[in-house]
Amino acid sequence: MKGPMEGDVELINDPNHLHCQPSDPIKMAEGGSTFTVDEALASTGFGKYQFLVLGYSGMGWISEAMEVMLLSFVGPSVQSEWKLSSHEESMITSVVFAGMLLGAYSWGIVSDNYGRRMGFLFTALVTSIAGLLSSFSPNYITLVIIRFLVGVGLGGGPVLASWFLEFVPAPSRGTWMVIFQCFWTVGTIFEASIAWVIMPRLGWRWLLALSSVPSFLLLLFYNFVPESPRYLCMRGKTTDAMNILVNMAEMNKKTLPSGILVSDNKMELDENSVPSENTHLITIGKTDAIIDDDMDSKIGGISALYRLLSPKLITSTLLLWIVFFGNSFAYYGIVLLTSKLSDNDRRCVSDDLLSMQSENDNLYRDVFITSFAEVPGLILSAIAVDRVGRKLSMSSMLFASCIFIFPLIFIQSELLTTILLFGARLFISGSFVVVYVYAPEMYPTSVRTTGVGTASSVGRIGGIICPLVAVALVQSCHQIIALVLFEFIIFISGVAVTFFPLETNGRSLNDSVRELK
């Protein structure tokens, strides 16, 4: 295979590890230089190859954002059509987050065991098919069951985030992960736009059907997307990893470092072992996966959780769970409450109720306006994440969100309510962006998607509780209690961020738990 490196790529079969090297004997004699995936990515830079990866993973992020945002529109319409109680309406939202809780943990384990591509293949299948079928639901029970399955599929979103992360060079990782999060904002704004057009004319069933289209696009282009070279190298499939890196270098018009491709974990093994004179036997086309005990077998649910709670990871893991829970509770709560607070103020102080059509117009308008709050949130995150650091960025945005929510404890005008919700969503969405940058960087490759998926699952608990508790409190005219609850949870999340033991800004990604300091 010809590539940016001189000569053909051959494998060297070593009793301790497997690696790639140019077959040119002159280069083989140059001292056995090595390079890691991080060094290869730094050498090839962020080019056309990464833009294609970004486009594909971004489509998945758009899909998840649209499926989550439509909950703000479908619930009230279904409640009106089927004469549901407020509790039954809340369940339509909560079951999606319950499914995401299960899916995030499950797909994380699948992708750490069988590859990133396998993980997001199943998420796209489940989300697209269940999303389309939900539009044909004949009754409430069927809708709840199918939307739960949609949630299971949506739980695979963190897999796509981790997959994209593993293609990004370390120096620009923060900025590009923020750009990746832009696709979520695109999804929320697009969903609010089509809901404003579709719902009054065609109804909620058409909105559900159209919102499943991005997931079908993931399936359409699935055969063209590569596996993560970092994952392949970790699993010992170094030939496949090298092929991908060579293609990446060719597409980006760059040159890979000369020498042997190794993982950080493999170099650690080299430092602790002395090879004999007869260890280097050149073979072609043979792959032997010899990995350390962090990666040498498929990990199940219990062992994966045990690894996340190991002494080197337990502090970061527990704090990350708190932050994900707080971010999810606050973000989805603000989305769901956007139209309820101003309408609820009038309803709780007056018997002069708005017409259903007027309420719906306010719903589409207010959700559309506040969705644009995520644009400055993204810009702020992009500026701060690499300059200020992950920890300070997250904590500052969480505390700022508290400041904007506090005045809502008291009854405000509709305009001021919208402005305060705009500011609260700006900062909470910015914090959510940064935590999705931080979480994959914190975990090593061997448990990255499991770790992020588990944290995302804990966040989904916040999404489940939010409509059942906070939204229900507002609807029953207990607005002060609901907003004090929001303030408390967001503040605790901000405090938790300050106790994170590691700042990942500018650090290379680790491959195994034993490499963590």
Side-chain angles (χ1 to χ4, degrees):
M1 177 184 62
K2 297 287 185 182
M5 298 178 60
E6 296 181 16
D8 295 328
V9 173
E10 297 184 339
L11 295 181
I12 293 182
N13 189 13
D14 186 296
N16 292 317
H17 54 263
L18 193 70
H19 47 246
C20 294
Q21 170 173 303
S23 63
D24 188 336
I26 296 177
K27 285 193 173 291
M28 291 178 63
E30 287 181 347
S33 61
T34 63
F35 67 93
T36 65
V37 173
D38 274 321
E39 291 168 341
L41 292 175
S43 178
T44 58
F46 196 102
K48 183 178 178 181
Y49 196 95
Q50 279 82 0
F51 277 111
L52 294 175
V53 173
L54 174 63
Y56 186 86
S57 56
M59 182 59 65
W61 218 229
I62 288 174
S63 172
E64 180 166 347
M66 291 177 65
E67 292 287 355
V68 169
M69 280 298 299
L70 65 80
L71 299 174
S72 300
F73 311 109
V74 170
S77 295
V78 173
Q79 181 187 33
S80 175
E81 180 176 330
W82 289 344
K83 310 301 180 186
L84 304 177
S85 67
S86 59
H87 175 73
E88 288 173 321
E89 178 195 352
S90 297
M91 281 298 296
I92 297 173
T93 297
S94 293
V95 294
V96 175
F97 290 110
M100 293 171 80
L101 186 156
L102 174 63
Y105 183 62
S106 302
W107 302 132
I109 293 176
V110 168
S111 69
D112 277 338
N113 284 335
Y114 303 102
R116 303 338 187 194
R117 292 179 79 248
M118 186 67 69
F120 57 70
L121 169 63
F122 285 110
T123 64
L125 278 171
V126 174
T127 304
S128 58
I129 295 173
L132 181 61
L133 289 178
S134 66
S135 66
F136 297 98
S137 300
N139 53 53
Y140 172 74
I141 297 298
T142 304
L143 179 64
V144 167
I145 293 173
I146 299 179
R147 293 309 295 177
F148 172 81
L149 294 177
V150 172
V152 172
L154 292 176
V159 176
L160 281 165
S162 297
W163 176 69
F164 172 67
L165 174 78
E166 293 174 356
F167 283 92
V168 181
S172 57
R173 198 165 56 223
T175 300
W176 282 108
M177 286 302 291
V178 170
I179 293 173
F180 168 73
Q181 296 292 335
C182 291
F183 287 91
W184 180 280
T185 301
V186 171
T188 60
I189 294 174
F190 184 63
E191 185 68 22
S193 302
I194 64 173
W196 203 346
V197 174
I198 295 297
M199 290 289 287
R201 296 167 176 81
L202 300 176
W204 60 270
R205 294 182 185 276
W206 275 95
L207 184 66
L208 289 176
L210 292 174
S211 298
S212 67
V213 172
S215 296
F216 280 105
L217 292 178
L218 290 179
L219 296 175
L220 182 64
F221 295 104
Y222 175 77
N223 287 333
F224 300 98
V225 299
E227 181 57 90
S228 161
R230 181 182 297 277
Y231 173 85
L232 291 171
C233 200
M234 181 199 73
R235 284 293 177 187
K237 299 179 179 179
T238 328
T239 304
D240 295 334
M242 192 64 187
N243 288 340
I244 292 172
L245 292 174
V246 168
N247 291 335
M248 184 187 303
E250 289 177 342
M251 189 171 292
N252 292 352
K253 301 186 184 308
K254 301 288 185 178
T255 303
L256 288 172
S258 60
I260 302 168
L261 172 64
V262 295
S263 71
D264 291 334
N265 170 66
K266 195 169 297 180
M267 289 194 298
E268 181 180 278
L269 291 177
D270 289 343
E271 292 171 359
N272 297 324
S273 63
V274 179
S276 67
E277 294 180 358
N278 298 320
T279 54
H280 296 292
L281 304 175
I282 297 178
T283 59
I284 299 178
K286 182 178 179 181
T287 56
D288 296 321
I290 302 175
I291 316 295
D292 74 8
D293 57 9
D294 260 334
M295 296 168 272
D296 60 359
S297 63
K298 301 290 189 292
I299 57 175
I302 301 301
S303 60
L305 186 61
Y306 175 78
R307 194 165 295 169
L308 296 178
L309 299 177
S310 63
K312 289 187 176 182
L313 288 174
I314 185 169
T315 300
S316 296
T317 293
L318 294 179
L319 290 171
L320 192 66
W321 289 357
I322 293 172
V323 176
F324 261 88
F325 178 92
N327 269 287
S328 294
F329 187 94
Y331 177 84
Y332 296 120
I334 291 170
V335 170
L336 293 171
L337 294 176
T338 293
S339 65
K340 294 183 181 294
L341 285 177
S342 58
D343 290 341
N344 193 71
D345 288 341
R346 293 191 293 274
R347 184 172 62 84
C348 291
V349 299
S350 171
D351 292 331
D352 183 20
L353 298 181
L354 295 176
S355 68
M356 180 61 70
Q357 182 60 45
S358 177
E359 289 181 359
N360 285 339
D361 289 343
N362 289 340
L363 172 65
Y364 305 137
R365 181 200 63 203
D366 292 347
V367 172
F368 183 79
I369 292 172
T370 55
S371 292
F372 277 95
E374 297 190 19
V375 176
L378 285 166
I379 295 173
L380 180 62
S381 301
I383 294 172
V385 70
D386 283 328
R387 292 174 176 81
V388 178
R390 281 51 160 161
K391 292 175 58 177
L392 184 57
S393 297
M394 275 189 282
S395 59
S396 300
M397 292 177 187
L398 286 165
F399 294 139
S401 186
C402 281
I403 294 173
F404 275 90
I405 289 177
F406 181 76
L408 293 172
I409 293 175
F410 311 100
I411 295 175
Q412 307 291 343
S413 67
E414 183 178 355
L415 176 61
L416 185 55
T417 296
T418 302
I419 292 172
L420 291 171
L421 285 170
F422 185 95
R425 184 162 174 180
L426 185 158
F427 286 108
I428 202 66
S429 63
S431 172
F432 225 153
V433 166
V434 180
V435 77
Y436 264 109
V437 174
Y438 181 84
E441 293 178 332
M442 186 190 78
Y443 287 112
T445 305
S446 58
V447 293
R448 179 166 296 123
T449 57
T450 300
V452 178
T454 304
S456 181
S457 293
V458 175
R460 305 314 176 191
I461 297 175
I464 295 169
I465 295 174
C466 181
L468 295 177
V469 178
V471 176
L473 285 171
V474 173
Q475 289 178 328
S476 58
C477 297
H478 295 98
Q479 179 171 313
I480 294 177
I481 298 175
L483 291 169
V484 168
L485 180 61
F486 271 88
E487 286 280 280
F488 176 76
I489 290 176
I490 297 172
F491 181 79
I492 292 299
S493 300
V495 172
V497 170
T498 65
F499 286 97
F500 276 130
L502 180 67
E503 171 58 66
T504 59
N505 188 17
R507 293 172 61 98
S508 297
L509 298 179
N510 293 310
D511 280 341
S512 68
V513 175
R514 67 175 58 186
E515 295 172 34
L516 300 175
K517 303 301 182 184

